[in-house]
Amino acid sequence: MARNSTARPRRIVGGDVGATKVSAAVVDAEGRVSSRGGPIRHGNEGPDEVIRDLIEVVRTSLGTGSPPAAIGIGVAGQVDAASGVVRYAPNTRWRDVALGARLSGEFGCPVVVANDVRAATVGEWRHGAGRGATNLLCLFVGTGVGGSAVVDGRLLEGAVNALGEVGHTVLVAGGRPCHCPGRGCLEAYVGGWAIAERARERVESDPASGSELLRRAGSIGAIEARTVGETAHARDPLAQEIMRETADYLASGVAGLVNAFNPGRVLLGGGVIEGSPELVEAVADRVRTSCQPPAAEAASVMRVALGSDAIIIGAAELARDRLRSPVRVPA
Amino acid sequence: MARNSTARPRRIVGGDVGATKVSAAVVDAEGRVSSRGGPIRHGNEGPDEVIRDLIEVVRTSLGTGSPPAAIGIGVAGQVDAASGVVRYAPNTRWRDVALGARLSGEFGCPVVVANDVRAATVGEWRHGAGRGATNLLCLFVGTGVGGSAVVDGRLLEGAVNALGEVGHTVLVAGGRPCHCPGRGCLEAYVGGWAIAERARERVESDPASGSELLRRAGSIGAIEARTVGETAHARDPLAQEIMRETADYLASGVAGLVNAFNPGRVLLGGGVIEGSPELVEAVADRVRTSCQPPAAEAASVMRVALGSDAIIIGAAELARDRLRSPVRVPA
């Protein structure tokens, strides 16, 4: 409970290293974002360039004010939480990048590096739609499907900090090939890339029904998940059918996860959900009707609340936690 | 670290309330079972009769020695851990039975009541094939499929103490009806009842291929999962095919769960695994080849070690824990 004795509150910065851009902001203890840096679109030329951009957006967010007390960064990749090393980030093609040490050397403060989905989950848990929950399952349905779980009041890590990859639970045994080594994963049906792929196949096999999708996209190869969602909202029968199937797959997958994880709250976010928010009600219905009764009664299904700021807010929270429990930082 | 000051170690009893029988034993701190009581087959006449039988087997296990310091009971059902109330046990048709209070009144010591799968997981974790693991996923494939998870060194509970019902993750979206309200659950393919059901359907649709299964069982309705496993071991082509499919379903399901839970160790137990232990290798192969690389590398797949004693040993461990942290017992 002891407070830092400086006159003004210690400033915490949260940052977000995505596949195409970096951004940062100062975040206060109530999860409010104040001054921002970026986003800067990076050319993905490698860790040195991206880290240079990241340092720039952190500096911009700090402005001329006091130096940061701690920094938290969310990264789309597998992270070794203790060392701050990004083990593997497929989108930016990083391997074993000591991001924490680099930033810590630059800014002279503790730096926490976390997987971006986990950071976003912490953001929603502390300051968004997950506030007050002790058992929370977050699913982010974007191009891929990421997830993270808070159970019994703790954010779970697992054996190698990879717990929560619920996009790769098997939804259709022996089904569609996934971008991971498996087949039939939830992501291979409801991830943005998979919705687009399913739609392209349908248009290819039946160009007449697919004429509206084709017209909007320009070519079969240009059909994206967003095209399908928008075309469904314009009441095109094929696009509506594809989105109904998507809702059905997502609902089945989440119902199974509710049985397995027994969450009090399930939060759905990511680009696919933002584009087609009606998916949330489809999932909620299925959880009510097809989960085991105790799990069904316990679980509320809702949308995330913080949007794209969730990563920055959550990363800043993790940095704030680190200041409270500095013993968790190994040498 | 303070030890009880009596000359002899405090005796802890573990008990097991199953669908058809009750049993108990004194279990020492190393997880060794000494004097046993039961099993007594109960007629499932209701909680009073079953609890009477349970008290009898606990007394028998204690013999003429000192009274128990604590008792732990594993029950096939949903349990409120804090109050010791069995909320719902479908097999024995119990609802809201205050088992903990009844036994505590009888024996004058703290009593811990736990779900049997969770108790068995604790048994394997502390004294069986899960020793030393901090991230453990246990699957018991019997008539149904139960599971439980230790993550980051803690046995997870979830919102209403139902975490780990991994038998009801969806393996085939829109697939076979399950005994739960859902469809396509892992249990609906690899649970003992489901293997039997799949075999009966195959024999019915193709009696010629099914002649050996039919001969061994006596009638289609008498085909059980055990019949299928034994007939497959006798190299009957249809039974072998059904068991190959079972291996394939189980492997897909577990691979998805390994991605989601990121365990360091996966333990497989239960009657179906005991009858067809070759399933374990099929699962291990699939985890190696089709999980996400970090999760695949982290996970070892193996059989449980304690057999049917796991529940008793784990329940006793939970009782021992309760003595160490009595504050966890609410009024």
Side-chain angles (χ1 to χ4, degrees), chain A residues 78 135 152 154 157-165 168-173 181-182 252 256 259-262 290-292 294, chain B residues 78 135 152 154 157-165 168-173 181-182 252 256 259-262 289-292 294:
Chain A
Q78 194 210 348
N135 288 277
D152 304 341
R154 289 165 174 262
E157 299 192 343
V160 292
N161 205 19
L163 188 143
E165 284 286 5
H168 302 280
T169 47
V170 176
L171 180 67
V172 179
S252 286
N259 284 330
F261 281 93
N262 186 25
S290 83
C291 284
Q292 301 209 96
Chain B
Q78 195 210 348
N135 287 279
D152 304 341
R154 288 165 173 262
E157 299 191 343
V160 292
N161 206 19
L163 189 144
E165 284 286 5
H168 302 279
T169 48
V170 176
L171 181 67
V172 180
S252 286
N259 284 330
F261 281 93
N262 186 23
T289 57
S290 83
C291 283
Q292 301 208 97

Side-chain angles (χ1 to χ4, degrees), chain B residues 103-118:
Chain B
L103 289 184
S104 190
E106 187 72 28
F107 291 98
C109 69
V111 175
V112 175
V113 182
N115 168 270
D116 58 350
V117 169
R118 196 160 295 159

Side-chain angles (χ1 to χ4, degrees), chain B residues 221-259:
Chain B
I223 295 174
E224 296 295 340
R226 176 187 308 214
T227 330
V228 183
E230 288 169 359
T231 312
H233 290 155
R235 301 182 176 279
D236 173 68
L238 179 62
Q240 286 182 313
E241 193 180 315
I242 295 167
M243 288 310 295
R244 267 197 305 274
E245 290 166 5
T246 302
D248 203 44
Y249 285 126
L250 181 62
S252 286
V254 174
L257 292 169
V258 166
N259 284 330

Side-chain angles (χ1 to χ4, degrees), chain B residues 145-158:
Chain B
V145 179
S148 188
V150 171
V151 174
D152 304 341
R154 288 165 173 262
L155 183 73
L156 301 185
E157 299 191 343

Side-chain angles (χ1 to χ4, degrees), chain A residues 115-142:
Chain A
N115 170 270
D116 58 350
V117 169
R118 195 160 295 160
T121 299
V122 170
E124 291 288 342
W125 181 29
R126 300 277 178 82
H127 299 293
R131 265 180 98 139
T134 49
N135 288 277
L136 185 67
L137 184 66
C138 280
L139 259 85
F140 295 91
V141 187

